[in-house]
Protein backbone atom coordinates (compact mmCIF):
# COMPACT_ATOMS: atom_id res chain seq x y z
CA UNK A 1 0.00 0.00 0.00
CA UNK A 2 1.19 3.54 -0.73
CA UNK A 3 1.53 5.78 2.31
CA UNK A 4 1.00 9.45 1.49
CA UNK A 5 -0.86 10.96 4.43
CA UNK A 6 0.61 10.51 7.87
CA UNK A 7 -0.89 11.28 11.26
CA UNK A 8 1.11 11.58 14.47
CA UNK A 9 -0.63 11.52 17.85
CA UNK A 10 1.35 13.26 20.58
CA UNK A 11 3.52 16.33 20.07
CA UNK A 12 6.12 15.58 22.76
CA UNK A 13 9.81 15.10 22.06
CA UNK A 14 9.34 11.93 20.03
CA UNK A 15 6.03 12.80 18.33
CA UNK A 16 7.23 16.21 17.16
CA UNK A 17 10.52 14.71 15.95
CA UNK A 18 8.66 12.03 13.97
CA UNK A 19 6.23 14.58 12.49
CA UNK A 20 9.18 16.83 11.53
CA UNK A 21 10.99 13.92 9.86
CA UNK A 22 7.90 12.86 7.88
CA UNK A 23 7.22 16.44 6.68
CA UNK A 24 10.87 16.78 5.58
CA UNK A 25 10.51 13.54 3.59
CA UNK A 26 7.54 14.96 1.65
CA UNK A 27 4.56 13.49 3.51
CA UNK A 28 1.36 15.36 4.26
CA UNK A 29 1.48 15.36 8.09
CA UNK A 30 -1.21 15.95 10.68
CA UNK A 31 -0.08 16.28 14.30
CA UNK A 32 -2.68 15.77 17.05
CA UNK A 33 -2.50 16.87 20.67
CA UNK A 34 -5.02 17.03 23.51
CA UNK A 35 -4.77 20.77 24.21
CA UNK A 36 -3.89 23.92 22.27
CA UNK A 37 -1.02 24.57 24.67
CA UNK A 38 0.59 21.17 24.01
CA UNK A 39 -0.04 21.46 20.29
CA UNK A 40 1.60 24.90 20.20
CA UNK A 41 4.55 23.52 22.12
CA UNK A 42 4.96 20.60 19.69
CA UNK A 43 4.63 22.78 16.58
CA UNK A 44 6.99 25.31 18.20
CA UNK A 45 9.62 22.62 18.66
CA UNK A 46 9.34 21.60 14.98
CA UNK A 47 9.45 25.19 13.69
CA UNK A 48 12.39 25.88 16.02
CA UNK A 49 14.31 22.95 14.50
CA UNK A 50 13.68 24.28 10.98
CA UNK A 51 14.76 27.78 12.04
CA UNK A 52 17.95 26.26 13.47
CA UNK A 53 18.65 24.27 10.29
CA UNK A 54 18.01 27.39 8.15
CA UNK A 55 20.36 29.49 10.28
CA UNK A 56 23.06 26.81 10.02
CA UNK A 57 22.65 26.78 6.22
CA UNK A 58 21.61 23.10 6.23
CA UNK A 59 18.29 23.94 4.50
CA UNK A 60 17.14 26.97 2.50
CA UNK A 61 14.32 29.34 3.52
CA UNK A 62 12.39 27.93 0.57
CA UNK A 63 12.79 24.34 1.84
CA UNK A 64 11.77 25.38 5.34
CA UNK A 65 8.66 26.98 3.82
CA UNK A 66 7.82 23.78 1.94
CA UNK A 67 8.23 21.69 5.10
CA UNK A 68 6.00 24.07 7.07
CA UNK A 69 3.36 23.84 4.32
CA UNK A 70 3.17 20.06 4.72
CA UNK A 71 2.30 19.94 8.41
CA UNK A 72 -0.85 20.90 10.27
CA UNK A 73 -1.93 20.54 13.85
CA UNK A 74 -5.31 19.41 15.15
CA UNK A 75 -7.14 18.83 18.42
CA UNK A 76 -9.79 16.69 16.71
CA UNK A 77 -8.95 13.04 16.13
CA UNK A 78 -11.74 12.82 13.53
CA UNK A 79 -9.40 14.72 11.18
CA UNK A 80 -7.47 11.44 10.88
CA UNK A 81 -10.22 9.97 8.65
CA UNK A 82 -8.04 10.31 5.52
CA UNK A 83 -4.69 9.11 6.97
CA UNK A 84 -2.86 6.11 5.47
CA UNK A 85 -0.62 5.72 8.51
CA UNK A 86 -1.03 6.95 12.08
CA UNK A 87 1.91 6.86 14.51
CA UNK A 88 1.06 6.97 18.19
CA UNK A 89 3.62 8.75 20.39
CA UNK A 90 1.66 9.50 23.57
CA UNK A 91 2.59 8.70 27.18
CA UNK A 92 3.80 5.19 28.03
CA UNK A 93 0.54 4.12 29.63
CA UNK A 94 -1.21 1.04 28.27
CA UNK A 95 -4.75 2.13 29.23
CA UNK A 96 -4.29 5.46 27.43
CA UNK A 97 -2.80 3.72 24.41
CA UNK A 98 -5.66 1.21 24.24
CA UNK A 99 -8.22 4.01 24.41
CA UNK A 100 -6.44 5.77 21.57
CA UNK A 101 -6.10 2.65 19.40
CA UNK A 102 -9.77 1.85 19.86
CA UNK A 103 -10.78 5.40 18.88
CA UNK A 104 -8.40 5.48 15.87
CA UNK A 105 -9.71 2.11 14.68
CA UNK A 106 -13.14 3.69 14.31
CA UNK A 107 -11.77 6.73 12.45
CA UNK A 108 -8.95 5.80 10.04
CA UNK A 109 -9.86 4.13 6.71
CA UNK A 110 -10.00 0.34 6.32
CA UNK A 111 -6.50 -0.92 5.54
CA UNK A 112 -4.72 2.07 7.11
CA UNK A 113 -1.84 1.22 9.44
CA UNK A 114 -1.75 2.25 13.08
CA UNK A 115 1.74 2.07 14.58
CA UNK A 116 3.06 2.72 18.06
CA UNK A 117 6.33 4.43 18.94
CA UNK A 118 6.32 2.78 22.39
CA UNK A 119 9.79 1.87 23.61
CA UNK A 120 8.76 -1.21 25.54
CA UNK A 121 5.02 -1.91 25.86
CA UNK A 122 3.49 -4.93 24.05
CA UNK A 123 2.10 -3.86 20.68
CA UNK A 124 -0.33 -6.79 20.49
CA UNK A 125 -2.14 -5.52 23.57
CA UNK A 126 -2.84 -2.24 21.74
CA UNK A 127 -3.84 -4.18 18.62
CA UNK A 128 -6.23 -6.33 20.66
CA UNK A 129 -8.75 -3.48 21.02
CA UNK A 130 -9.00 -2.98 17.25
CA UNK A 131 -10.58 -4.93 14.41
CA UNK A 132 -7.40 -4.59 12.30
CA UNK A 133 -4.70 -6.50 14.17
CA UNK A 134 -2.90 -7.29 10.90
CA UNK A 135 -2.45 -3.56 10.25
CA UNK A 136 -0.82 -2.81 13.57
CA UNK A 137 2.90 -2.79 14.40
CA UNK A 138 5.51 -0.94 16.40
CA UNK A 139 7.49 1.81 14.69
CA UNK A 140 10.11 2.77 17.22
CA UNK A 141 12.20 5.88 16.56
CA UNK A 142 15.25 6.99 18.53
CA UNK A 143 15.85 10.32 20.16
CA UNK A 144 16.50 12.76 18.45
CA UNK A 145 14.16 11.29 15.81
CA UNK A 146 15.19 13.61 12.95
CA UNK A 147 18.85 12.66 13.43
CA UNK A 148 19.06 9.03 14.56
CA UNK A 149 19.18 6.67 11.59
CA UNK A 150 17.48 3.63 13.09
CA UNK A 151 13.81 2.64 13.18
CA UNK A 152 12.68 -0.62 14.79
CA UNK A 153 9.67 -2.20 13.09
CA UNK A 154 7.99 -4.39 15.67
CA UNK A 155 6.00 -7.31 14.27
CA UNK A 156 3.38 -8.81 16.52
CA UNK A 157 2.06 -12.35 16.11
CA UNK A 158 -0.73 -10.76 14.02
CA UNK A 159 1.11 -8.15 11.89
CA UNK A 160 0.82 -8.96 8.18
CA UNK A 161 3.70 -9.12 5.69
CA UNK A 162 2.05 -6.24 3.78
CA UNK A 163 2.06 -4.00 6.86
CA UNK A 164 5.70 -4.85 7.62
CA UNK A 165 6.72 -4.13 4.03
CA UNK A 166 4.79 -0.84 3.92
CA UNK A 167 6.50 0.28 7.13
CA UNK A 168 9.89 -0.82 5.84
CA UNK A 169 9.40 1.31 2.73
CA UNK A 170 8.10 4.20 4.82
CA UNK A 171 11.13 4.09 7.16
CA UNK A 172 13.51 3.98 4.19
CA UNK A 173 11.73 6.93 2.57
CA UNK A 174 12.51 8.91 5.74
CA UNK A 175 16.21 8.13 5.22
CA UNK A 176 16.19 5.62 8.09
CA UNK A 177 17.47 2.07 8.26
CA UNK A 178 14.77 -0.27 9.55
CA UNK A 179 15.39 -3.42 11.54
CA UNK A 180 12.71 -5.97 12.37
CA UNK A 181 12.10 -6.88 16.02
CA UNK A 182 9.68 -9.27 17.68
CA UNK A 183 7.03 -7.91 20.02
CA UNK A 184 9.04 -8.65 23.16
CA UNK A 185 9.80 -6.08 25.88
CA UNK A 186 12.68 -3.79 24.90
CA UNK A 187 12.61 -5.01 21.28
CA UNK A 188 16.26 -5.04 20.10
CA UNK A 189 17.91 -1.80 21.20
CA UNK A 190 16.40 -1.16 24.62
CA UNK A 191 16.88 -4.81 25.58
CA UNK A 192 20.62 -4.07 25.36
CA UNK A 193 20.70 -0.34 26.15
CA UNK A 194 18.59 -0.34 29.33
CA UNK A 195 20.75 -2.82 31.32
CA UNK A 196 23.83 -0.83 30.23
CA UNK A 197 22.35 2.41 31.62
CA UNK A 198 21.12 0.68 34.79
CA UNK A 199 24.60 -0.80 35.34
CA UNK A 200 26.10 2.70 35.12
CA UNK A 201 23.67 3.93 37.80
CA UNK A 202 24.52 0.94 40.03
CA UNK A 203 28.21 1.55 39.52
CA UNK A 204 27.84 5.18 40.58
CA UNK A 205 25.44 4.26 43.43
CA UNK A 206 28.03 1.82 44.78
CA UNK A 207 30.82 4.41 44.58
CA UNK A 208 32.89 2.48 42.06
CA UNK A 209 33.66 5.59 39.97
CA UNK A 210 32.48 9.17 39.56
CA UNK A 211 29.72 10.05 37.13
CA UNK A 212 32.14 12.08 35.00
CA UNK A 213 34.66 9.25 34.85
CA UNK A 214 31.98 6.72 33.87
CA UNK A 215 30.81 9.06 31.07
CA UNK A 216 34.37 9.74 29.92
CA UNK A 217 35.18 6.03 30.07
CA UNK A 218 32.39 5.06 27.70
CA UNK A 219 32.90 8.02 25.35
CA UNK A 220 36.65 7.68 24.99
CA UNK A 221 36.95 3.95 25.62
CA UNK A 222 34.12 2.84 23.35
CA UNK A 223 33.53 5.81 21.07
CA UNK A 224 29.95 6.39 22.26
CA UNK A 225 28.72 9.93 21.43
CA UNK A 226 27.36 10.34 24.99
CA UNK A 227 28.27 8.71 28.28
CA UNK A 228 25.51 6.78 30.10
CA UNK A 229 24.61 9.66 32.45
CA UNK A 230 24.49 12.15 29.59
CA UNK A 231 22.25 9.71 27.73
CA UNK A 232 20.03 9.10 30.78
CA UNK A 233 19.45 12.85 31.15
CA UNK A 234 18.90 13.17 27.40
CA UNK A 235 16.44 10.28 27.01
CA UNK A 236 14.72 11.03 30.34
CA UNK A 237 15.03 9.20 33.64
CA UNK A 238 11.27 8.67 33.70
CA UNK A 239 11.32 7.08 30.22
CA UNK A 240 14.26 4.88 31.22
CA UNK A 241 12.53 3.77 34.43
CA UNK A 242 9.28 2.86 32.59
CA UNK A 243 11.21 0.93 29.97
CA UNK A 244 13.23 -0.90 32.66
CA UNK A 245 10.06 -1.78 34.57
CA UNK A 246 8.37 -3.09 31.42
CA UNK A 247 11.35 -5.28 30.51
CA UNK A 248 11.80 -6.49 34.11
CA UNK A 249 8.09 -7.37 34.21
CA UNK A 250 8.61 -9.70 31.24
CA UNK A 251 12.14 -10.90 32.13
CA UNK A 252 12.59 -10.79 35.93
CA UNK A 253 16.36 -10.77 35.60
CA UNK A 254 18.27 -8.52 38.09
CA UNK A 255 20.01 -6.82 35.15
CA UNK A 256 16.67 -5.15 34.33
CA UNK A 257 15.67 -4.26 37.91
CA UNK A 258 15.65 -0.44 38.26
CA UNK A 259 18.23 0.70 40.84
CA UNK A 260 16.85 2.56 43.88
CA UNK A 261 18.68 5.78 42.96
CA UNK A 262 16.93 5.90 39.58
CA UNK A 263 13.53 5.43 41.26
CA UNK A 264 14.27 8.12 43.84
CA UNK A 265 15.33 10.59 41.18
CA UNK A 266 12.13 10.01 39.20
CA UNK A 267 10.11 10.31 42.43
CA UNK A 268 11.87 13.64 43.02
CA UNK A 269 10.83 14.87 39.54
CA UNK A 270 14.43 14.88 38.30
CA UNK A 271 13.71 13.56 34.81
CA UNK A 272 16.81 14.98 33.15
CA UNK A 273 17.08 17.72 30.52
CA UNK A 274 13.32 17.99 30.13
CA UNK A 275 12.89 19.16 33.75
CA UNK A 276 16.20 21.04 33.95
CA UNK A 277 17.59 18.55 36.48
CA UNK A 278 18.64 14.93 36.31
CA UNK A 279 22.05 13.50 37.06
CA UNK A 280 23.27 16.96 36.08
CA UNK A 281 21.66 20.41 36.01
CA UNK A 282 20.64 22.30 32.87
CA UNK A 283 20.13 26.02 32.46
CA UNK A 284 17.08 25.52 30.22
CA UNK A 285 14.34 22.91 30.29
CA UNK A 286 14.12 21.12 26.95
N1 LIG B 1 16.29 18.18 13.27
C1 LIG B 1 17.23 18.02 12.31
N2 LIG B 1 18.56 17.98 12.57
C2 LIG B 1 18.92 18.11 13.86
C3 LIG B 1 18.01 18.27 14.90
C4 LIG B 1 16.64 18.31 14.56
N3 LIG B 1 15.68 18.41 15.49
N4 LIG B 1 18.70 18.35 16.08
C5 LIG B 1 20.01 18.26 15.77
N5 LIG B 1 20.13 18.13 14.43
C6 LIG B 1 21.37 17.99 13.67
C7 LIG B 1 22.24 19.22 13.86
O1 LIG B 1 21.89 20.23 12.93
C8 LIG B 1 23.62 18.66 13.58
O2 LIG B 1 23.81 18.59 12.19
P1 LIG B 1 25.17 19.09 11.53
O3 LIG B 1 26.23 18.14 12.06
O4 LIG B 1 24.92 18.94 10.08
O5 LIG B 1 25.37 20.49 12.01
C9 LIG B 1 23.52 17.21 14.09
O6 LIG B 1 22.13 16.91 14.18
C10 LIG B 1 24.17 17.03 15.44
O7 LIG B 1 23.59 17.95 16.36
P2 LIG B 1 24.45 18.85 17.36
O8 LIG B 1 25.61 19.44 16.65
O9 LIG B 1 23.47 19.78 18.01
O10 LIG B 1 24.93 17.90 18.52
P3 LIG B 1 25.96 16.71 18.59
O11 LIG B 1 26.91 16.65 17.45
O12 LIG B 1 26.50 16.83 19.95
O13 LIG B 1 25.01 15.41 18.48
C11 LIG B 1 23.41 13.84 19.23
C12 LIG B 1 23.91 15.29 19.29
C13 LIG B 1 23.01 13.49 17.79
C14 LIG B 1 22.22 13.76 20.15
C15 LIG B 1 24.60 12.90 19.67
O14 LIG B 1 25.12 13.31 20.91
C16 LIG B 1 24.16 11.45 19.81
O15 LIG B 1 24.09 10.71 18.84
N6 LIG B 1 23.85 11.03 21.08
C17 LIG B 1 23.34 9.70 21.37
C18 LIG B 1 21.85 9.68 21.20
C19 LIG B 1 21.26 8.32 21.41
O16 LIG B 1 21.91 7.36 21.78
N7 LIG B 1 19.95 8.23 21.18
C20 LIG B 1 19.20 7.03 21.39
C21 LIG B 1 18.59 7.09 22.75
S1 LIG B 1 17.66 5.65 23.11
C22 LIG B 1 16.12 5.96 22.55
O17 LIG B 1 15.82 7.02 22.02
C23 LIG B 1 15.14 4.87 22.71
C24 LIG B 1 14.07 5.22 23.68
O18 LIG B 1 13.05 4.24 23.57
C25 LIG B 1 14.55 5.26 25.12
Amino acid sequence: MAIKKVGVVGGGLMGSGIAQTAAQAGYDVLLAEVSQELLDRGMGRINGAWDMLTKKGRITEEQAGEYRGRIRGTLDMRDFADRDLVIEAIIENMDEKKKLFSALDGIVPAGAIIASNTSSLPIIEMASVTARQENIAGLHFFNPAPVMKLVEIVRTIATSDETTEALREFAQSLGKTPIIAKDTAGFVVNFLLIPYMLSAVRMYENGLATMDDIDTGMKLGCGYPMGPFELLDYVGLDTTLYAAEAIYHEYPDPAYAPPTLLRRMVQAGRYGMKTGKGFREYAEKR
Side-chain angles (χ1 to χ4, degrees):
M1 71 166 294
I3 294 171
K4 290 199 176 69
K5 295 183 174 181
V6 175
V8 177
V9 189
L13 265 188
M14 293 309 293
S16 61
I18 296 167
Q20 176 192 333
T21 310
Q24 287 174 193
Y27 290 95
D28 169 324
V29 181
L30 190 55
L31 176 66
E33 254 300 355
V34 288
S35 72
Q36 192 61 48
E37 192 197 341
L38 289 175
L39 186 58
D40 290 347
R41 211 182 291 169
M43 294 296 277
R45 199 178 288 122
I46 296 168
N47 285 315
W50 287 332
D51 288 345
M52 177 270 290
L53 292 173
T54 311
K55 255 188 226 136
K56 276 185 165 184
R58 298 282 184 271
I59 58 170
T60 62
E61 291 279 359
E62 197 186 353
Q63 271 174 311
E66 280 171 21
Y67 297 165
R68 286 183 224 280
R70 289 193 202 123
I71 187 164
R72 277 175 302 131
T74 183
L75 298 176
D76 189 350
M77 207 62 75
R78 284 170 300 185
D79 290 345
F80 279 54
D82 66 349
R83 299 291 107 179
D84 305 311
L85 164 67
V86 178
I87 304 167
E88 167 278 309
I90 66 166
I91 52 164
E92 292 286 60
N93 176 302
M94 183 54 85
D95 288 341
E96 291 300 321
K97 290 194 193 272
K98 279 161 100 172
K99 262 189 245 164
L100 177 64
F101 269 69
S102 170
L104 284 171
D105 190 38
I107 294 169
V108 300
I113 298 174
I114 311 175
S116 172
N117 179 57
T118 183
S119 56
S120 43
L121 296 173
I123 309 292
I124 194 67
E125 206 177 330
M126 301 172 213
S128 71
V129 298
T130 73
R132 62 175 82 214
Q133 294 194 8
E134 68 285 3
N135 294 339
I136 290 173
L139 196 63
H140 184 212
F141 290 77
F142 292 80
N143 190 13
V147 179
M148 303 310 283
K149 293 286 178 214
L150 184 75
V151 171
E152 286 178 323
I153 296 172
V154 184
R155 279 197 81 147
T156 73
I157 51 173
T159 308
S160 68
D161 290 344
E162 290 72 24
T163 297
T164 309
E165 271 322 297
L167 289 176
R168 193 198 296 270
E169 278 170 30
F170 174 70
Q172 283 167 341
S173 74
L174 300 182
K176 308 290 185 196
T177 300
I179 59 172
I180 309 289
K182 285 196 175 168
D183 187 20
T184 52
F187 313 133
V188 170
V189 173
N190 279 336
F191 195 67
L192 297 172
L193 182 65
I194 296 288
Y196 157 69
M197 294 202 284
L198 300 185
S199 295
V201 176
R202 269 186 219 106
M203 211 174 166
Y204 170 67
E205 207 175 20
N206 293 328
L208 302 188
T210 65
M211 204 186 293
D212 286 350
D213 280 355
I214 297 171
D215 273 351
T216 303
M218 295 313 290
K219 281 193 287 188
L220 301 189
C222 294
Y224 289 8
M226 289 178 169
F229 293 99
E230 286 173 320
L231 192 56
L232 275 153
D233 279 356
Y234 189 75
V235 166
L237 274 60
D238 53 337
T239 307
T240 307
L241 178 63
Y242 298 147
E245 280 172 338
I247 304 175
Y248 186 64
H249 181 72
E250 206 154 292
Y251 302 96
D253 176 321
Y256 299 103
T260 306
L261 178 61
L262 181 65
R263 259 186 216 292
R264 291 292 176 269
M265 291 188 65
V266 171
Q267 284 159 346
R270 296 186 190 184
Y271 294 175
M273 287 171 84
K274 61 178 124 173
T275 56
K277 201 168 187 177
F279 282 100
R280 297 193 175 88
E281 288 193 24
Y282 303 88
E284 268 178 42
K285 291 182 189 172
R286 195 165 56 113

